[in-house]
Amino acid sequence: MGKNILLCGVGGQGTLLASNLLAECAMEAGFDVKKSEIHGMAQRGGSVVSHVRFGERICSPIIRKGECDILLAFEELEALRWTEYLKPGGLVLSNAQNILPMSVSAGNARYPKNITETLAKISAEVTSVDAIGKARELGNQKCLNVVLLGVLARRIDEIKPEIWPEMIKKMVPQRLQELNLKAFKTGWELA
């Protein structure tokens, strides 16, 4: 039996780096890992989704609907869009941030209200954190992805805690390592 984690966000939030770090940490922990990503209009603020699966033996990189253990959402509406992938009793970890899609900005649609409450009805557990606020407190909102990774890491017992900072040092440019290590620790403490 493996672990299925779906990461979803909006282009520019660092979803792909977070999924790469997660996959590398799982491999370092000795698991077979498969990863797949979709980032069509990501550079224009579109949806970005990564499937990360790890376990003893993983055959496919794609998580089937209804089989996701953890949904890590970098934006609340993205969490709502991808809930059909959650398994019964799945966990939603969400950044408490709203990024208006083009349809809302243009006045053609409304941004849903009470997303966290809606998610709570769908999932067994929803944790919403102000990752963007914590990243801004650290001096760079671009590290919100690593804040969220810290929140996620606290919920993954299969990967030893010391592996995460090792992989951050390995995969993040040296000039950004200190910031990202602080961001990870901040997320870990938020969880």
Side-chain angles (χ1 to χ4, degrees):
M1 193 75 175
K3 195 81 145 182
N4 297 319
I5 302 171
L6 192 133
L7 296 86
C8 58
V10 173
Q13 289 188 295
T15 310
L16 298 180
L17 175 60
S19 66
N20 289 338
L21 280 163
L22 170 59
E24 289 292 326
C25 288
M27 281 193 286
E28 185 69 18
F31 293 104
D32 182 22
V33 180
K34 301 288 186 281
K35 182 172 96 60
S36 176
E37 53 198 41
I38 302 165
H39 45 93
M41 295 295 286
Q43 292 181 338
R44 301 194 190 278
S47 195
V48 178
V49 180
S50 286
H51 298 243
V52 179
R53 303 183 68 220
F54 65 89
E56 191 174 308
R57 184 169 182 267
I58 303 295
C59 296
S60 169
I62 303 297
I63 300 169
R64 291 186 197 160
K65 290 179 182 176
E67 294 186 0
C68 176
D69 297 297
I70 303 173
L71 176 63
L72 180 65
F74 288 54
E75 194 272 344
E76 287 186 325
L77 184 56
E78 290 300 316
L80 202 53
R81 283 181 211 233
W82 294 94
T83 53
E84 64 187 338
Y85 281 81
L86 274 174
K87 71 179 189 181
L91 169 64
V92 177
L93 301 173
S94 179
N95 178 24
Q97 182 180 11
N98 303 139
I99 298 174
L100 302 181
M102 196 64 81
S103 59
V104 174
S105 297
N108 298 327
R110 289 186 175 177
Y111 196 93
K113 294 180 180 180
N114 306 319
I115 291 176
T116 302
E117 290 82 5
T118 304
L119 289 169
K121 292 175 186 172
I122 296 167
S123 174
E125 185 180 353
V126 178
T127 299
S128 181
V129 296
D130 183 15
I132 188 72
K134 293 295 181 185
R136 286 179 181 141
E137 285 175 20
L138 291 169
N140 188 338
Q141 72 180 27
K142 289 187 175 185
C143 70
L144 85 91
N145 59 342
V146 181
V147 173
L148 285 170
L149 195 65
V151 173
L152 174 66
R154 190 76 180 258
R155 300 299 192 103
I156 301 176
D157 297 332
E158 296 89 346
I159 300 174
K160 292 179 182 172
E162 60 271 14
I163 290 176
W164 299 92
E166 288 173 21
M167 288 301 115
I168 290 169
K169 289 176 189 171
K170 182 178 175 184
M171 295 180 65
V172 172
Q174 189 172 5
R175 63 185 167 78
L176 300 171
Q177 285 179 8
E178 185 180 340
L179 170 68
N180 282 280
L181 289 168
K182 285 180 184 175
F184 180 81
K185 185 177 181 204
T186 298
W188 181 272
E189 291 169 356
L190 271 176

